[in-house]
Amino acid sequence: YDWNFGDNTMVNGTTQKTVTHVYDLPGDYLVKHRPYNSCGAGNECTKQLIVTDPIIGCTPLSLTMII
């Protein structure tokens, strides 16, 4: 799997379907994910993610992309 989190952070060639990423700054990010099959082909999935400043007393958001 290849991941591009839209903030110049990428994880390429991982075998993990689930990865964790923490954004340092609020903003509008385009997250891209590409799974690969046994032949090496894969279709990219892209999602827009809006990250806001944390709210004191609230639990941080965890995001899972279903592929």
Side-chain angles (χ1 to χ4, degrees):
Y1 302 93
D2 290 345
W3 294 88
N4 181 332
F5 295 101
D7 63 348
N8 296 319
T9 303
M10 294 184 283
V11 176
N12 294 319
T14 181
T15 59
Q16 302 298 313
K17 291 182 180 180
T18 304
V19 295
T20 300
H21 180 68
V22 176
Y23 289 90
D24 293 328
L25 298 170
D28 191 359
Y29 299 97
L30 193 61
V31 180
K32 297 178 182 180
H33 174 255
R34 182 183 299 271
Y36 291 95
N37 63 23
S38 59
C39 297
N43 293 322
E44 186 172 86
C45 175
T46 303
K47 297 289 181 186
Q48 183 175 6
L49 177 65
I50 298 171
V51 177
T52 61
D53 284 319
I55 299 172
I56 296 173
C58 291
T59 304
L61 172 69
S62 174
L63 174 70
T64 302
M65 288 181 68
I66 307 294
I67 55 172

